[in-house]
Amino acid sequence: MTKRAYNEQPTPGGQGPGEDAGSQPSPAGHPKAGLGLLLGALGVVYGDIGTSPLYALKTVFTLDRSLTPDAPDVFGVISWVFWSIILIVSVKYVIFILRADNEGEGGVMALAALARSALLKVSERRAATVLALGALGAALFYGDSVITPAISVLSAVEGLEVISPAWAVVVLPASAVIITLLFAIQRWGTGRVGAVFGPIMLLWFACLGVAGAAEVIRHPSVLAGLSPTYAALFVVDHPIIAFIAMGAVVLAITGAEALYADMGHFGRAPIRRAWFAIVFPALTLNYLGQGALILRAPESRENPFFLLLPGWAQLPMVALATVATVIASQSVITGAFSVSREAMRLGFLPHLRIRQTSRRQYGQIYAPGVNWSLFAAVLVVVFAFGSSTNLAAAYGVAVTGTFLITTTLFLVVARARWRWTIWRLALFGLVFGSIELTFFTANLAKVTHGGWLTLLIAIILFTVLLTWRRGAGLVTARRIEREGPLRDFIDTLHATNIPWVPGTAVFPHPNKETTPLALRANVAHHHVRHERIVIITGRTANVPHIPWNQRLTIDDLGDPSDGIIHIDALFGFQDPTDFPEVLRRAAAHPLARGIDLDLDQVSYFVSKITLRCTRQPGMAVWRKRLFIALAHNAASHAEFLHLPEERTIVLSAEIAV
């Protein structure tokens, strides 16, 4: 048996035909992460947490009227907001969690993949458990992705009511129009969107800082709220009120998980620089300013963000806030794209249409199916809840649940991959886990007031993710039974002396141990075989790009004269799975030249699996029906492999599940 790696020489002068910028470094370590990437990160990554001042303190002081606008309560709330941002965002996410990238990709699924790979050598059961935990985190993140655009846009447009109550009637229709435009521009790609949004967000954070600083200068005593002692005294003096307030304080840090999920779009360095240089100072000043305003004018707690501004600046700020909240939604939308691709790679979702929107930044993608599904869900939520105050009751359960899952998975990675000592793990878990558990418990009180929505979304999506993975495993096992060993099938071809017909037949197939069903069907129905038969197996590595001179391995399957070869093609997860290009590259290999691959007479044979629901053991019938429905809506396999439509023959086979 002859098996050789295909060592094609690189094309002089740069990339070879069909090669996507494989030499680009991952953004996580990009040496030129300068002003452009920093502005892009500002425009995409920090929109969510950057617009939290619109509704965070407003919700805290209106959620429970027991809170008084006097110094102890205001200082206590400001202290909790400030130290939550310091500990959860600055320390946990920006310093620690961003280190746990999966070849530049971030998000709870990427973290679960790292944890799984670290545990596989120890225990397959533990590896499966952390992967399922990652799927639950992804499901909770999707729930957050539905609520964030709705509450962000509504809270900004509701600023019109501060100017004049007569504007209240336009809040819902205007919000719907803005949300529609937001999802419509996603096809442009994260890079272009970030280039437009970055300067706007820079202006937004400048306005946040200036508005807050002006009030702080008038009432510098509010700076005392930065002391953690006020947070502790607030809990000691009003434990019940403080516990309820925690359910709203978490609104100030809701964009932290999106920050991690968006890492693949811009990289670690620009995200960190933007946070410490621009976002964190601006947020701190604005929250301090709102606190000072509430102390000076208690009635302002109904909407301290807009009342922080002079009358002439309120309408322009409503316009800027509306644009900023559109941008806020961008962070969770792009995060949902990244999480969806990770879920596909880990086998929790079928093939979805994913379009690369940048040749330089491999994490920048557009997923049309995810985009428009989110759009429909967001519109339903906007009209169902009607206001940001109502939505605030639904917000927080999913976010805090994801925080806890991320902390758990990070501890697994830190122990298994980085060999952290027990005391470091215990300290990290105690500090961040206790805070997040408090937030999560406080938000459970919201379940009956709207929090059920994000939990319902998460439960549905978690069921979908686990159903697809389980169903795909069942189909694979039963398909292998039908396929039979490839070696035996080739021996049968030799023994029967079946007629040969001119041309090259290409069969995409997951491995070289079993026989492609399309190959079996073609021989069984037409009683002939092609002169040249090529079986191509595509595999995806955990790196973004693999150069062509390292990508292909060709095997003559033991007989160099029978015209049958197997090509193993290894792709980076950002490389297009272009099988015609694989064949063209392989044609230059000596082993392939021996059988004279005729690229002008190539036919591609694809197996189309028709699934039939049965009562066989393995999965509940309703889950089997769900799996079949998902399979029907998956992207075309031929399209995914870039097969030319005019040369592709689809042969059906039925599999019972």
Side-chain angles (χ1 to χ4, degrees):
M1 180 182 295
T2 308
K3 178 179 178 180
R4 305 177 195 169
Y6 175 26
N7 295 315
E8 179 192 78
Q9 293 301 312
T11 304
Q15 295 169 236
E19 186 170 355
D20 193 16
S23 60
Q24 293 292 335
S26 72
H30 202 294
K32 298 179 181 179
L35 183 61
L37 280 177
L38 185 144
L39 281 176
L42 204 63
V44 171
V45 175
Y46 288 113
D48 187 1
I49 198 169
T51 53
S52 295
L54 279 165
Y55 48 80
L57 285 193
K58 168 188 170 183
T59 304
V60 172
F61 281 96
T62 56
L63 186 66
D64 187 348
R65 294 293 177 175
S66 301
L67 269 176
T68 58
D70 57 12
D73 284 4
V74 172
F75 286 177
V77 169
I78 292 296
S79 184
W80 263 107
V81 169
F82 176 73
W83 285 100
S84 295
I85 293 174
I86 285 282
L87 292 173
I88 302 300
V89 184
S90 297
V91 179
K92 176 190 164 182
Y93 275 94
V94 177
I95 294 178
F96 284 103
I97 299 294
L98 288 185
R99 291 178 57 200
D101 68 288
N102 189 357
E103 302 294 339
E105 288 288 337
V108 66
M109 290 300 290
L111 188 58
L114 284 177
R116 171 179 173 259
S117 64
L119 290 177
L120 271 176
K121 296 178 181 178
V122 180
S123 167
E124 290 188 9
R125 187 171 182 177
R126 291 182 187 176
T129 300
V130 298
L131 204 55
L133 194 61
L136 178 58
L140 289 168
F141 182 80
Y142 284 125
D144 181 29
S145 301
V146 172
I147 299 292
T148 295
I151 192 174
S152 299
V153 173
L154 278 171
S155 62
V157 181
E158 284 168 357
L160 294 171
E161 298 178 29
V162 175
I163 300 169
S164 171
W167 287 101
V169 295
V170 305
V171 169
L172 281 180
S175 298
V177 170
I178 292 167
I179 287 168
T180 302
L181 292 174
L182 167 67
F183 282 93
I185 66 173
Q186 295 306 312
R187 67 185 66 191
W188 293 357
T190 310
R192 293 181 185 178
V193 171
V196 174
F197 285 174
I200 297 173
M201 287 306 293
L202 185 60
L203 175 62
W204 169 257
F205 285 115
C207 291
L208 288 187
V210 170
E215 190 67 30
V216 171
I217 290 171
R218 294 189 193 100
H219 303 278
S221 62
V222 75
L223 292 171
L226 298 181
S227 170
T229 57
Y230 281 100
L233 289 172
F234 183 56
V235 174
V236 172
D237 293 341
H238 313 290
I240 303 300
I241 296 173
F243 183 75
I244 296 172
M246 290 303 98
V249 167
V250 75
L251 296 176
I253 56 172
T254 52
E257 186 64 32
L259 175 156
Y260 179 42
D262 285 333
M263 181 168 60
H265 293 263
F266 297 99
R268 183 187 303 123
I271 290 174
R272 282 179 172 166
R273 291 168 187 168
W275 172 255
F276 287 113
I278 299 169
V279 182
F280 176 56
L283 291 177
T284 302
L285 284 171
N286 197 264
Y287 283 123
L288 285 169
Q290 290 188 45
L293 177 64
I294 293 171
L295 285 173
R296 177 171 63 85
E299 68 279 3
S300 66
R301 60 180 174 170
E302 297 296 328
N303 202 325
F305 179 83
F306 285 107
L307 292 173
L308 192 62
L309 302 160
W312 62 265
Q314 287 177 355
L315 186 58
M317 195 60 170
V318 169
L320 180 59
T322 302
V323 177
T325 54
V326 169
I327 298 169
S329 307
Q330 185 67 45
S331 63
V332 291
I333 294 170
T334 53
F337 294 165
S338 298
V339 168
S340 297
R341 181 169 62 182
E342 289 288 341
M344 285 170 50
R345 290 176 56 206
L346 294 170
F348 284 100
L349 282 176
H351 284 306
L352 302 174
R353 288 181 176 86
I354 299 286
R355 183 164 63 83
Q356 199 73 32
T357 59
S358 171
R359 288 181 61 84
R360 293 185 298 110
Q361 299 302 323
Y362 67 81
Q364 296 182 8
I365 56 174
Y366 170 58
V370 176
N371 185 64
W372 295 114
S373 297
L374 278 178
F375 167 68
V378 170
L379 274 190
V380 169
V381 166
V382 165
F383 285 103
F385 282 80
S387 73
S388 62
T389 303
N390 293 337
L391 265 173
Y395 210 18
V397 180
V399 175
T400 52
T402 310
F403 284 170
L404 285 170
I405 290 172
T406 300
T407 297
T408 303
L409 293 174
F410 179 82
L411 289 174
V412 174
V413 171
R415 179 59 177 170
R417 292 179 68 95
W418 302 338
R419 305 301 178 190
W420 274 22
T421 57
I422 296 298
W423 73 265
R424 289 184 69 185
L425 295 173
L427 181 62
F428 189 96
L430 181 64
V431 172
F432 301 111
S434 60
I435 296 172
E436 291 165 353
L437 188 60
T438 302
F439 281 139
F440 180 72
T441 307
N443 275 276
L444 287 180
K446 297 181 179 181
V447 170
T448 57
H449 301 284
W452 58 267
L453 176 65
T454 50
L455 290 180
L456 178 63
I457 294 171
I459 290 168
I460 291 172
L461 289 171
F462 185 56
T463 302
V464 167
L465 295 174
L466 293 188
T467 296
W468 180 261
R469 185 171 175 84
R470 177 59 179 159
L474 290 175
V475 169
T476 299
R478 287 163 190 171
R479 179 173 175 163
I480 288 173
E481 292 175 7
R482 291 275 303 276
E483 290 167 345
L486 177 60
R487 184 69 266 172
D488 293 349
F489 181 79
I490 292 175
D491 291 342
T492 301
L493 287 183
H494 294 165
T496 55
N497 198 25
I498 193 169
W500 292 26
V501 295
T504 299
V506 177
F507 298 89
H509 192 59
N511 58 69
K512 67 176 182 179
E513 283 73 40
T514 61
T515 310
L517 289 177
L519 176 55
R520 281 192 178 277
N522 190 43
V523 172
H525 291 292
H526 300 114
H527 307 292
V528 294
R529 54 149 290 184
H530 287 74
E531 285 182 315
R532 293 164 290 276
I533 295 175
V534 181
I535 301 169
I536 303 181
T537 296
R539 296 182 295 113
T540 303
N542 281 333
V543 293
H545 297 286
I546 293 178
W548 279 104
N549 61 340
Q550 300 173 19
R551 189 175 297 184
L552 305 183
T553 302
I554 297 179
D555 188 348
D556 62 18
L557 299 174
D559 188 345
S561 64
D562 65 357
I564 304 175
I565 62 171
H566 175 268
I567 301 174
D568 187 90
L570 185 63
F571 297 93
F573 58 77
Q574 286 299 329
D575 294 322
T577 49
D578 190 336
F579 274 22
E581 182 65 12
V582 167
L583 193 67
R584 192 191 71 79
R585 298 275 182 162
H589 191 277
L591 198 62
R593 283 201 298 266
I595 64 170
D596 189 23
L597 289 177
D598 188 349
L599 299 180
D600 295 326
Q601 296 187 50
V602 176
S603 297
Y604 296 89
F605 292 83
V606 178
S607 302
K608 180 182 179 182
I609 303 300
T610 301
L611 300 174
R612 178 169 55 86
C613 184
T614 69
R615 295 191 175 275
Q616 295 182 35
M619 197 162 57
V621 172
W622 68 268
R623 291 184 67 193
K624 290 180 180 180
R625 288 175 179 158
L626 173 60
F627 173 75
I628 292 172
L630 292 170
H632 282 319
N633 289 285
S636 163
H637 194 54
E639 179 184 349
F640 178 71
L641 300 177
H642 295 73
L643 305 184
E645 187 177 349
E646 69 280 3
R647 291 188 180 184
T648 302
I649 298 96
V650 179
L651 298 174
S652 296
E654 185 179 83
I655 298 273
V657 293

